[in-house]
């Protein structure tokens, strides 16, 4: 029956539209490339994060045009692996925005397949972990500063754990 086929096609189109809208408005940067590395998806969060509009990137080679030279080899490996069916989770790399700002991205690179199972590209879903990395660097620097302060203090400083064992001992306590 033609009516049933038409309804099925309309349902597929509606689902495809819903999924496209979901990807475009997701609260995570999502991009896609074809088997040649050309960008074919660039959602709103990726626009916001990178500073590059969708129009500026669609059809351009992700690796050649948007990845800094010192990171091209490792990003290329992740993308090639995904194009060969080997997906990568939790890959960290720096993304440099259109204006030169460095953002730390945690990326999952997933193989994209067509309806017949053939590999047609890669979908990258990321997470901006810049603030997390900054907080980690701050905590490390603070811990190092406190350790130096304790070690070089002009008074003996020592610490004990809950069992009464000494676990900290500065130079003046020696």
């Amino acid at each position: 029956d033609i009516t049933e086929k038409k309804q099925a096609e309309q349902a597929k189109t509606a689902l495809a539209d819903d999924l496209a809208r979901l990807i475009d408005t997701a609260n995570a940067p999502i991009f896609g490339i074809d088997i040649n590395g050309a960008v074919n998806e660039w959602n709103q969060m990726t626009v916001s994060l990178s500073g590059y509009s969708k129009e500026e990137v669609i059809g351009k080679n992700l690796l050649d045009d948007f990845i800094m030279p010192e990171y091209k080899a490792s990003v290329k490996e992740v993308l090639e692996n995904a194009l060969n069916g080997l997906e990568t989770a939790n890959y960290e790399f720096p993304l440099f925005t259109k204006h030169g700002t460095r953002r730390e991205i945690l990326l999952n690179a997933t193989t994209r397949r067509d309806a017949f199972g053939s590999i047609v590209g890669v979908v990258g879903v990321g997470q901006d972990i810049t603030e997390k990395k900054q907080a980690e660097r701050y905590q490390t620097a603070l811990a190092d500063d406190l350790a130096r302060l304790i070690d070089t203090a002009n008074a003996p400083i020592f610490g004990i754990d809950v069992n009464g064992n000494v676990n900290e001992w500065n130079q003046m306590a020696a």
Side-chain angles (χ1 to χ4, degrees), residues 73-92:
S74 61
V75 172
K76 181 179 181 181
E77 181 180 358
V78 168
L79 297 176
E80 285 179 350
N81 283 344
L83 287 169
N84 288 310
L86 180 62
E87 299 176 350
T88 300
N90 300 323
Y91 170 72
E92 290 184 31

Side-chain angles (χ1 to χ4, degrees), residues 31-41 59-64 76 78-85 110-114 117-123:
F31 69 89
I33 61 167
D34 65 19
I35 59 173
N36 298 312
V39 176
N40 56 16
E41 182 57 59
K60 296 213 174 134
N61 188 284
L62 180 71
L63 196 61
D64 294 342
K76 181 179 181 181
V78 168
L79 297 176
E80 285 179 350
N81 283 344
L83 287 169
N84 288 310
T110 304
T111 304
R112 188 173 183 184
R113 297 177 186 272
D114 65 14
S118 299
I119 295 173
V120 295
V122 176
V123 173

Side-chain angles (χ1 to χ4, degrees), residues 7-34:
Q7 288 174 341
E9 278 301 315
Q10 288 173 341
K12 284 182 189 178
T13 300
L15 179 59
D17 290 347
D18 286 348
L19 291 175
R21 203 169 20 265
L22 176 67
I23 289 169
D24 195 46
T25 60
N27 197 22
I30 300 173
F31 69 89
I33 61 167
D34 65 19

Side-chain angles (χ1 to χ4, degrees), residues 16 18 38-39 52 68 93 96 99 121 126 129 132 139 143 160 164 170:
D18 286 348
V39 176
Y52 290 102
M68 299 299 281
F93 76 100
F96 290 87
H99 305 292
I129 58 171
K132 178 182 179 242
Q139 287 175 336
I160 58 172
N170 78 344

Side-chain angles (χ1 to χ4, degrees), residues 46-167:
T46 309
V47 170
S48 175
L49 189 64
S50 71
Y52 290 102
S53 70
K54 194 170 192 170
E55 294 75 22
E56 289 176 285
V57 299
I58 295 295
K60 296 213 174 134
N61 188 284
L62 180 71
L63 196 61
D64 294 342
D65 297 330
F66 301 103
I67 303 298
M68 299 299 281
E70 59 270 27
Y71 299 99
K72 283 187 182 193
S74 61
V75 172
K76 181 179 181 181
E77 181 180 358
V78 168
L79 297 176
E80 285 179 350
N81 283 344
L83 287 169
N84 288 310
L86 180 62
E87 299 176 350
T88 300
N90 300 323
Y91 170 72
E92 290 184 31
F93 76 100
L95 171 72
F96 290 87
T97 68
K98 184 176 184 177
H99 305 292
T101 305
R102 180 183 174 127
R103 305 298 298 180
E104 299 292 332
I105 304 298
L106 184 65
L107 179 74
N108 290 347
T110 304
T111 304
R112 188 173 183 184
R113 297 177 186 272
D114 65 14
F116 304 104
S118 299
I119 295 173
V120 295
V122 176
V123 173
V125 179
Q127 179 181 355
D128 183 1
I129 58 171
T130 305
E131 284 77 23
K132 178 182 179 242
K133 288 295 207 180
Q134 289 170 340
E136 287 172 0
R137 285 191 291 273
Y138 174 76
Q139 287 175 336
T140 299
L142 183 61
D144 291 347
D145 288 347
L146 290 174
R148 250 188 320 281
L149 178 65
I150 289 170
D151 200 40
T152 60
N154 288 332
I157 298 174
F158 65 93
I160 58 172
D161 65 17
V162 294
N163 298 317
N165 298 314
V166 175
N167 60 9

